Amino acid sequence: MAQLVSARIRRRGLMLVLSSPSGAGKSTIARNLLEEDKSFELSVSLTTRPRRGSEIDGVHYHFVSKREFDRQRDGDALLEWAEVHGNFYATPREPAEQAMAEGRDMLFDIDWQGADQLRAKIPADIVSIFILPPSMTELKARLMRRAEDQEKVIEQRLKNAREEIEHWRKYDYVVINNDLQVAFNEVKSIVAAERLRRDRRPGLFDFVTGLLDEKV
Ligand code: ADP
Ligand code: 5GP
C-alpha cells in the first residue's frame, strides 16, 4: 500500500546513462533492465558501424551511412554525437526530448563523450553509471567470447579500453561487473534511489499539501 501511494506521486523522468569500455557488459545490463523495468525506454542510437549478426536495424541501432549521419547532424537532429572506435554514433534528439517532456524514463547506452554532452545539456535529469570489468584479462575474454567482432576490431577495442576507463571519475556511480546478477542488482538499487530523490518528485508538493489539509 505504502508503495502504491509513493508510485502515484508525479515525478520527472530519469535519463539513465550507462557507459563502459566495450565488452564490460553494459548492453547486457541494459537489456536486463529494459526487460524487467517496463518504465524504461531505450534511446536507439544512430551508427555508421556495420551491423553485427545478432543486431536488428531500428531495435539495437539505426544503421545509417556516413552521408545520412552527416545530414542528420547538420539538420540539428542529434542530441549528441561522437566518433568511437572509428565509427560514428549519435543519440536522436526527438525521442529523448519527447520522453523528457512527458516525464518518461530513458536509458542511454553511450560512451563518455556522449555522457559529457548530455550532462552539459540536461544536467538535472542525467544519472550516469560507469560499468567496469573486474580485470583487463576478463575484459579481453568477454570480447573474444562475444565473438561478434573481427580479431582486429577486438584488439582496437581493448587498446581503447584504458583510455575510456580514465573517464570513470565523471560518473555519479561506478559498478564493477564481476558477477552479472550482483552488478544488475546494484544498478537497480541506484535507479530505485534516484527515483525517490526529492527534487525529481514535483508531485510531493501536492501530496504534502493534501497531507497537511487532511482532517483527522
Ligand atoms: P558491452 O555492451 O559493454 O560492449 P556486452 O554486454 O556485449 O558488453 O558483454 C560482452 C560479453 O560479456 C557478452 O558476451 C556478455 O554475455 C558477457 N558478459 C556480460 N556480463 C558478464 C559477466 N558479469 N560475467 C561474464 N560474462 C559477462
Ligand atoms: P558498439 O559498437 O559496441 O555497439 O558500441 C561502441 C561504443 O559506442 C559503446 O561504448 C557505446 O556505448 C557507444 N555508443 C553507442 N551509441 C552511442 C551514441 O548514440 N552516442 C555515443 N556518444 N556513444 C554511443
Side-chain angles (χ1 to χ4, degrees):
M1 182 61 192
Q3 217 175 358
L4 284 177
V5 171
S6 181
R8 274 205 312 269
I9 294 171
R10 187 169 54 84
R11 63 173 177 83
R12 291 216 314 273
L14 196 70
M15 302 286 115
L16 183 67
V17 171
L18 289 183
S19 301
S20 76
S22 189
K26 79 185 155 319
S27 302
T28 306
I29 290 173
R31 199 165 48 241
N32 290 354
L33 192 60
L34 290 163
E35 263 166 34
E36 203 173 297
D37 186 336
K38 296 298 176 199
S39 42
F40 271 113
E41 179 190 340
L42 178 68
S43 165
V44 180
S45 298
L46 246 60
T47 183
T48 61
R49 134 165 111 58
R51 189 176 64 81
R52 294 181 184 133
S54 63
E55 290 174 329
I56 302 166
D57 190 19
V59 174
H60 299 93
Y61 282 106
H62 299 289
F63 295 95
V64 295
S65 63
K66 180 65 171 56
R67 196 189 162 99
E68 171 62 13
F69 190 95
D70 289 347
R71 193 188 67 77
Q72 295 211 22
R73 187 188 52 195
D74 297 345
D76 205 26
L78 307 178
L79 193 54
E80 61 78 28
W81 68 272
E83 185 175 355
V84 190
H85 312 306
N87 297 300
F88 290 86
Y89 296 84
T91 301
R93 176 187 298 283
E94 214 263 331
E97 289 191 340
Q98 199 165 339
M100 263 184 291
E102 292 170 9
R104 285 184 283 114
D105 299 324
M106 195 159 229
L107 179 59
F108 300 85
D109 171 343
I110 59 177
D111 86 324
W112 64 269
Q113 304 173 82
D116 274 0
Q117 293 172 58
L118 291 193
R119 264 189 225 105
K121 280 189 179 157
I122 36 176
D125 292 309
I126 294 290
V127 174
S128 60
I129 306 180
F130 199 78
I131 314 278
L132 284 172
S135 67
M136 296 308 271
T137 309
E138 173 61 14
L139 183 67
K140 183 173 185 180
R142 285 184 195 169
L143 282 170
M144 312 260 278
R145 260 202 314 273
R146 186 165 70 186
E148 294 222 54
D149 295 311
Q150 292 170 346
E151 205 168 314
K152 204 169 83 236
V153 173
I154 291 178
E155 282 308 322
Q156 189 195 8
R157 286 180 173 234
L158 201 56
K159 228 173 75 208
N160 292 348
R162 288 196 153 73
E163 200 206 310
E164 290 170 357
I165 289 171
E166 294 285 346
H167 296 274
W168 69 275
R169 291 178 192 81
K170 292 184 281 192
Y171 285 73
D172 300 317
Y173 300 92
V174 174
V175 166
I176 299 170
N177 179 18
N178 184 23
D179 178 275
L180 180 60
Q181 201 50 51
V182 172
F184 182 46
N185 284 337
E186 289 179 358
V187 168
K188 285 195 293 185
S189 304
I190 293 165
V191 168
E194 285 287 343
R195 280 183 176 147
L196 290 170
R197 284 183 72 102
R198 176 172 44 77
D199 56 3
R200 192 160 279 124
R201 304 167 83 201
L204 279 173
F205 285 93
D206 286 346
F207 177 74
V208 173
T209 302
L211 201 60
L212 296 177
D213 283 348
E214 190 181 327
K215 302 280 177 277
V216 283

